[in-house]
């Protein structure tokens, strides 16, 4: 609150010095890549997709198990969305589904680091070796790392992070594009601001009187300083909050593994997992509605990450289903459930959730 108040009192509440500093600090944190802040992860994906100038008739592969935001920017660009099935243990793009889609022709892949677990290099390398560009949907993956270091667009065109209210690092609404490509970063700085090569802060800083020029129309996707200030504070305490998340996630792993009828996904985790979500899959035959109802009556809110895209009207009518079908997504759509996982939870809360989950499954089994 003090950081936001400082910005409000500074006389500059638009995009300016706080955003610049937040970008520098994020770049440092991510190990020296270029970072351009946006007002959402969706905007970061849009900017990366715009930059690729996909030709008419392009096909863009996305996992069907994701938020619509992964696919909407490419859909709006006029591309055909090719929906890919996921691996049932990670809920991330399945290698066989991707390989089949590549054989049929793909112009872009947008994989999702679901729940903060980095997508396997073997999957990314399938696309890379076929010359298919990749834009990483890293909405869940700020704080995630793999053998290359922090997830930050090192094997792709760019990674798009979300700083939405529910994310591990939040500015309320916000996001960032991370890339090793300096030209893309320069494009993004202009493109996030209508395509104008001069914004209010650069005018103020230089003292020039100039309205700037547009060579290519862009988006309106800048992050205001009041929100960047929140992100800077969040970044300072990020390591300790991630440690707390890891403790909670491990508590879920230990406890859920003792409950019959349910398993946690992603099953395999590693030190680089950002532990963004606690998703469980119920065994066949357990009525999820009953479990949700019981937990709700005990004051425990649950969610669903996600309704697969082909179950949503527009995608059902307009997207293409990849060559291996979407049977894993269809199956998990009836059985997945997201349990509470957030910074204010205590390990005793996790125990409480798990105890109620065990009772709910027991009751559902007896009906
Ligand atoms: C996987 C995924 N991608 C993209 C987004 C969109 O993020 P934003 O709201 O920052 O645009 C979300 C939002 O929750 C998400 O879960």
């Amino acid at each position: 609150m003090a950081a936001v108040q400082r910005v409000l009192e500074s006389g500059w509440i638009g995009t300016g010095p706080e955003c610049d500093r937040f970008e520098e600090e994020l770049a440092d944190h991510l190990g020296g890549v270029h970072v351009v802040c946006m007002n959402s992860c969706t905007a970061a994906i849009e900017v990366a997709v715009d930059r690729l100038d996909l030709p008419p008739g392009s096909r863009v592969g996305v996992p069907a198990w994701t938020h619509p935001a992964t696919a909407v920017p490419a859909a709006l660009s006029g591309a055909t969305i090719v929906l890919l099935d996921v691996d049932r243990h990670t809920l991330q793009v399945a290698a066989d589904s991707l390989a089949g889609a590549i054989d049929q022709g793909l112009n872009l892949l947008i994989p999702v680091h679901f729940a903060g677990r980095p997508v396997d290099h073997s999957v990314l390398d399938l696309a890379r070796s076929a010359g298919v560009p990749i834009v990483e949907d890293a909405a869940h993956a700020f704080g995630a790392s793999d053998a290359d270091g922090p997830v930050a667009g090192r094997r792709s065109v760019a990674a798009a992070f979300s700083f939405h209210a529910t994310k591990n690092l939040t500015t309320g609404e916000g996001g960032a594009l991370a890339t090793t490509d300096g030209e893309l970063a320069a494009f993004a700085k202009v493109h996030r601001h209508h395509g104008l090569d001069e914004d209010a802060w650069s005018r103020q800083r230089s003292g020039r009187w100039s309205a700037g020029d547009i060579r290519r129309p862009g988006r309106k996707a800048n992050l205001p300083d009041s929100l960047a200030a929140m992100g800077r504070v969040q970044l300072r305490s990020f390591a300790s909050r991630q440690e707390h998340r890891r403790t909670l996630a491990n508590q879920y792993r230990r406890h859920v593994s003792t409950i019959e009828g349910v398993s946690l996904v992603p099953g395999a985790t590693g030190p680089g997992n950002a532990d963004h979500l606690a998703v469980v899959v119920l065994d066949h035959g357990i009525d999820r509605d009953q479990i949700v109802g019981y937990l709700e009556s005990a004051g425990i809110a649950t969610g669903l990450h996600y309704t697969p895209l082909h179950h949503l009207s527009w995608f059902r009518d307009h997207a293409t289903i990849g060559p291996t079908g979407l049977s894993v997504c269809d199956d998990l759509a009836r059985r997945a459930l997201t349990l509470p996982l957030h910074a204010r939870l205590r390990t005793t809360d996790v125990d409480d959730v798990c105890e109620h989950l065990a009772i709910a499954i027991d009751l559902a089994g007896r009906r």
Side-chain angles (χ1 to χ4, degrees):
M1 281 192 256
V4 173
Q5 186 170 0
R6 177 172 47 73
V7 170
L8 295 181
E9 288 173 353
S10 73
W12 195 272
I13 60 172
T15 298
E18 284 294 321
C19 184
D20 287 349
R21 259 175 238 135
F22 187 32
E23 287 173 348
E24 286 159 17
E25 289 165 4
L26 287 168
D28 245 24
H29 183 91
L30 294 171
V33 292
H34 302 277
V35 175
V36 182
C37 282
M38 302 280 166
N39 58 10
S40 66
C41 170
T42 309
I45 297 173
E46 277 168 356
V47 168
V49 169
D50 288 353
R51 167 72 172 178
L52 286 167
D53 278 326
L54 297 174
S58 288
R59 293 161 58 84
V60 176
V62 301
W65 194 267
T66 190
H67 190 285
T70 310
V72 163
L76 287 173
S77 81
T80 296
I81 303 299
V82 181
L83 297 174
L84 307 173
D85 212 0
V86 294
D87 178 288
R88 66 171 60 250
H89 303 294
T90 63
L91 302 184
Q92 296 179 349
V93 171
D96 61 338
S97 181
L98 175 60
I102 289 174
D103 283 347
Q104 293 184 342
L106 268 195
N107 299 77
L108 171 64
L109 171 69
I110 311 182
V112 178
H113 300 288
F114 180 80
R117 179 188 184 277
V119 171
D120 290 337
H121 280 180
S122 57
V123 171
L124 297 183
D125 288 346
L126 266 180
R128 278 156 56 93
S129 59
V132 177
I134 300 167
V135 172
E136 299 168 63
D137 181 335
H140 300 177
F142 191 82
S145 58
D146 59 19
D148 289 346
V151 166
R154 287 187 170 80
R155 283 180 188 243
S156 66
V157 173
F161 294 110
S162 174
F163 303 144
H164 169 260
T166 59
K167 300 302 187 287
N168 294 20
L169 185 147
T170 183
T171 58
E173 292 283 0
L177 177 130
T179 179
T180 57
D181 177 350
E183 282 179 20
L184 170 60
F187 171 87
K189 286 229 166 186
V190 171
H191 204 69
R192 74 176 171 186
H193 192 245
H194 310 289
L196 274 164
D197 59 9
E198 186 92 79
D199 65 14
W201 177 239
S202 66
R203 263 200 308 279
Q204 167 80 6
R205 212 172 18 186
S206 67
R208 273 193 312 273
W209 193 95
S210 155
D213 189 22
I214 289 188
R215 288 181 193 84
R216 171 184 174 152
R219 307 273 174 176
K220 178 68 169 76
N222 52 306
L223 185 74
D225 273 15
S226 46
L227 300 187
M230 209 191 295
R232 292 185 67 206
V233 174
Q234 289 254 313
L235 192 58
R236 264 179 251 142
S237 59
F238 187 69
S240 64
R241 280 180 301 109
Q242 277 303 100
E243 208 178 296
H244 181 55
R245 253 178 199 278
R246 172 48 61 112
T247 303
L248 297 172
N250 282 338
Q251 185 80 351
Y252 268 125
R253 285 181 193 110
R254 268 194 299 277
H255 209 141
V256 170
S257 67
T258 67
I259 307 173
E260 229 172 280
V262 65
S263 49
L264 204 66
V265 286
T269 187
N273 190 329
D275 294 310
H276 177 57
L277 295 172
V279 176
V280 293
V281 175
L282 300 166
D283 281 2
H284 285 284
I286 297 177
D287 182 344
R288 185 176 59 192
D289 288 347
Q290 274 185 35
I291 307 292
V292 169
Y294 178 85
L295 292 177
E296 197 176 302
S297 68
I300 297 166
T302 54
L304 174 59
H305 295 82
Y306 289 96
T307 300
L309 295 186
H310 63 299
H311 293 192
L312 304 175
S313 302
W314 189 88
F315 292 97
R316 188 184 55 230
D317 296 344
H318 298 280
T320 293
I321 293 180
T324 60
L326 296 170
S327 58
V328 174
C329 288
D330 284 333
D331 177 38
L332 295 177
R334 291 185 292 270
R335 304 202 282 130
L337 185 65
T338 307
L339 301 175
L341 177 59
H342 57 80
R344 290 193 175 171
L345 219 57
R346 296 160 303 183
T347 48
T348 48
D349 296 324
V350 171
D351 289 337
D352 191 45
V353 171
C354 291
E355 277 154 26
H356 279 92
L357 178 64
I359 295 169
I361 292 174
D362 192 36
L363 288 174
R366 275 193 244 140
R367 276 185 201 157

